[in-house]
Amino acid sequence: MSSLSVSRFLETLKKRQSPSLIWYSAPGERVELSGRVFDNWVAKTANFLVEELDVEVEDSVTLPAQLHWRTLAIAVAGLQVGATIVQHAEYARAAFAFSPEELDGADAEYAVLIERSALGMRYMGEVPASLDPVDYAAEVRSFADVYMGFNQPETTTPAFESLSHAEILHAANDLAGKLTQTLPPAIQAVEISGDLTHPSTLTQFFAAQIAGYATVVLDPEIDFESTGRRDKIFSDEKALPFPSH
């Protein structure tokens, strides 16, 4: 990448028609997003963050630790508008969660629920009367699929509490170079896993995209190992786990 910015990364990604992100969950549930489609979701989410949730540069946004294609889009959009991703905060502009229980004790201006099913149009879980959350899946679709850049972070803006934008993208660039040297030529995708609120997970996502690989994400709530599904997915997608360096 010639410029260390999330917006520049997305400018490159949206030209990509090949798979960018591949999500697997329950048997038969597979969602494939091209670079262009993933960029659309990020842009819609960025506009949602700014226009609906009033997120400004360096505002804290809390995310659930579990990976999901939607939480990846939210995380990248958060960086695009200059938010700082945290797991816990004394106060956050917005707190995202998969269930109302995850929002217990959250001190945030906006509580946002994420639908876990792959293509759900709205949050399908029970919501207690005491909670008045924003429904991410229901609301985000109405926002423009181009982000006009009302919030523009600096390279020194914190992406996470411990890393700036420049630091996370430098690390991703370095990892991307190692990926292309390490992985066999036949490999087309890499699996990422782990805690989304840890910088290394999002760094791996950026690195895979910069290197031109699709990213495979397996629903952490599903047991793929004992059923043999993980091996089949790796074979079908020509994928390997993200290598440790």
Side-chain angles (χ1 to χ4, degrees):
M1 292 171 62
S2 58
S3 177
L4 291 172
S5 76
V6 174
S7 292
R8 188 62 178 266
F9 163 80
L10 290 166
E11 281 294 320
T12 301
L13 187 66
K14 71 182 180 183
K15 299 172 185 175
R16 179 173 164 182
Q17 300 298 320
S18 58
S20 167
L21 177 59
I22 303 169
W23 163 259
Y24 280 90
S25 186
E29 187 172 272
R30 176 186 183 276
V31 175
E32 177 183 300
L33 290 79
S34 67
R36 180 183 61 81
V37 172
F38 184 72
D39 172 72
N40 281 351
W41 279 106
V42 171
K44 284 179 177 293
T45 304
N47 288 316
F48 168 78
L49 290 171
V50 172
E51 297 172 30
E52 181 77 12
L53 306 184
D54 303 321
V55 172
E56 298 181 355
V57 174
E58 295 195 30
D59 277 350
S60 293
V61 172
T62 66
L63 294 179
Q66 286 192 332
L67 277 173
H68 190 284
W69 77 262
R70 284 191 168 110
T71 55
L72 276 169
I74 294 166
V76 176
L79 298 194
Q80 188 175 27
V81 305
T84 301
I85 297 172
V86 297
Q87 186 169 7
H88 303 288
E90 291 185 6
Y91 170 79
R93 179 71 68 187
F96 287 81
F98 287 114
S99 70
E101 292 74 23
E102 294 175 30
L103 292 168
D104 285 348
D107 184 7
E109 185 169 345
Y110 295 95
V112 188
L113 286 173
I114 308 166
E115 170 57 23
R116 184 178 289 280
S117 64
L119 297 175
M121 303 283 283
R122 62 183 179 85
Y123 185 73
M124 299 298 290
E126 295 291 329
V127 180
S130 59
L131 187 66
D132 184 25
V134 180
D135 185 334
Y136 171 77
E139 298 294 333
V140 73
R141 295 170 184 272
S142 65
F143 287 86
D145 57 10
V146 175
Y147 177 63
M148 300 306 294
F150 302 111
N151 289 7
Q152 285 293 338
E154 303 291 335
T155 57
T156 55
T157 299
F160 292 82
E161 291 173 290
S162 59
L163 281 179
S164 69
H165 278 232
E167 288 170 326
I168 195 171
L169 290 169
H170 269 303
N173 272 324
D174 289 345
L175 270 181
K178 292 175 182 177
L179 272 182
T180 56
Q181 295 170 9
T182 303
L183 295 175
I187 294 302
Q188 298 178 6
V190 290
E191 179 205 15
I192 64 168
S193 59
D195 184 341
L196 182 60
T197 61
H198 193 281
S200 64
T201 305
L202 199 54
T203 301
Q204 288 181 0
F205 173 75
F206 281 128
Q209 301 302 311
I210 292 167
Y213 296 100
T215 301
V216 173
V217 179
L218 307 182
D219 187 342
E221 292 212 330
I222 304 292
D223 180 4
F224 289 88
E225 195 71 48
S226 65
T227 60
R229 281 187 72 201
R230 188 167 183 260
D231 289 341
K232 186 176 187 311
I233 289 167
F234 280 13
S235 175
D236 290 346
E237 305 292 354
K238 297 181 174 60
L240 285 174
F242 199 102
S244 57
H245 295 285

